[in-house]
Amino acid sequence: MKNPLKKLTLLIAASSLPFIAYASDSHYVPGIEGVKGSVVPPPGVYYKGYVVNYNADKNEALPADSEVTVTALASRVVWVTPQKLLGGDLVLEAIVPMLQTDLKVGGQDIDKRTGLGDLYVGGVLGWHGDRWDATTGIGYWADTGDYDSHRFASPGKGYDSVMLTLGGNVKLNQQGDINLSALGRYEMPDGDDLNDELIIEWGLSKSYGLLDVGLVGYNTFETGDGEEERNALGLSVGYFSPANLLGGDIAAYKEYSNKDTFEGQVIRASLTKVF
């Protein structure tokens, strides 16, 4: 860029925005779960791999031709233990994310980085009824990722967070093939000038044998002094093969009426293997 003053202005604008998978102070990426996201599976060990791509080029706070693209690969290991606690199934889990973030402001390349994000470990309790499921839990995002305070696209956040989970699933008909699920996360980052965030993911699905088709969405709200909001709607298709103990799903989301952040679209795919 030939104009140094213009470049400085773009850098100052970029520095006011934290960029790691959707630009909020939270570690958790909305859109990861959707259909039956609040249902704890039977006891066993599960591996779940997620690939998420987020692309957005609409942000009223930045110049035209500004864009952020985030690609995340997350590996999640879940152990649904045979133990019961308060009548619910005890679940232990860990998540290791890898992220690539590419930020452009005013058509100029500002930063691009690839590396490990922050580690998550947590515990969940899951209950089951004839036509309902419920889950609650607590977890910890550890400041273990690749972080550089001088780089806008650092994979790590540079701080720890505690995350609370609460969700439920209801079978809407007698056959149990129509489900409505909602999964809430409340993340509390540890640091000055950081905002707590409420994240709600939901899914309304219809099962056709082993195939699940659904309408999915997410809504996020910062609390305290923060005013950031994100809202999205999408579609999801998933299939599970009992013979291979293997399942997968894909989903696409379109954000709408976001506030104080980028607005874009999400494509997510996941693979689940039961051991």
Side-chain angles (χ1 to χ4, degrees), residues 29 32 36 38 68-69 72 74 96 98 118 125 128 131 159 174 176 186 188 197-198 210 214 216-217 220 228 236 249:
V29 178
I32 287 291
K36 299 179 183 177
S38 296
V68 62
T69 301
V96 179
M98 173 77 74
D118 295 327
L125 291 177
H128 309 280
R131 293 182 58 175
Y159 49 82
Q174 193 65 38
Y186 189 80
M188 299 170 285
E197 186 171 28
L198 174 63
L210 301 174
V216 291
T220 78
E228 180 182 301
S236 173
D249 71 273

Side-chain angles (χ1 to χ4, degrees), residues 1-16 62-63 105 108-110 152:
M1 182 181 293
K2 296 181 179 181
N3 189 334
L5 181 60
K6 184 176 181 182
K7 184 174 182 179
L8 178 61
T9 301
L10 295 177
L11 289 173
I12 292 173
S15 67
S16 67
L62 292 179
V105 176
Q108 303 298 311
D109 293 328
I110 298 298
F152 307 128

Side-chain angles (χ1 to χ4, degrees), residues 105-220:
V105 176
Q108 303 298 311
D109 293 328
I110 298 298
D111 198 12
K112 183 176 182 178
R113 293 204 69 190
T114 301
L116 285 174
D118 295 327
L119 171 69
Y120 176 80
V121 291
V124 172
L125 291 177
W127 295 269
H128 309 280
D130 291 338
R131 293 182 58 175
W132 60 269
D133 301 90
T135 184
T136 188
I138 185 170
Y140 177 68
W141 292 95
D143 180 13
T144 59
D146 182 8
Y147 175 74
D148 184 339
S149 61
H150 301 291
R151 300 291 296 272
F152 307 128
S154 289
K157 286 286 193 178
Y159 49 82
D160 305 319
S161 292
V162 173
M163 188 172 73
L164 307 178
T165 296
L166 181 65
N169 183 81
V170 178
K171 297 176 182 178
L172 298 180
N173 61 351
Q174 193 65 38
Q175 293 80 7
D177 58 358
I178 300 178
N179 284 257
L180 176 63
S181 183
L183 184 64
R185 314 279 197 177
Y186 189 80
E187 189 170 336
M188 299 170 285
D190 181 18
D192 297 332
D193 301 320
L194 299 176
N195 293 297
D196 294 359
E197 186 171 28
L198 174 63
I199 302 166
I200 301 173
E201 300 171 284
W202 56 269
L204 176 63
S205 65
K206 174 72 167 70
S207 299
Y208 299 91
L210 301 174
L211 181 71
D212 286 321
V213 179
L215 177 69
V216 291
Y218 60 79
N219 308 91
T220 78

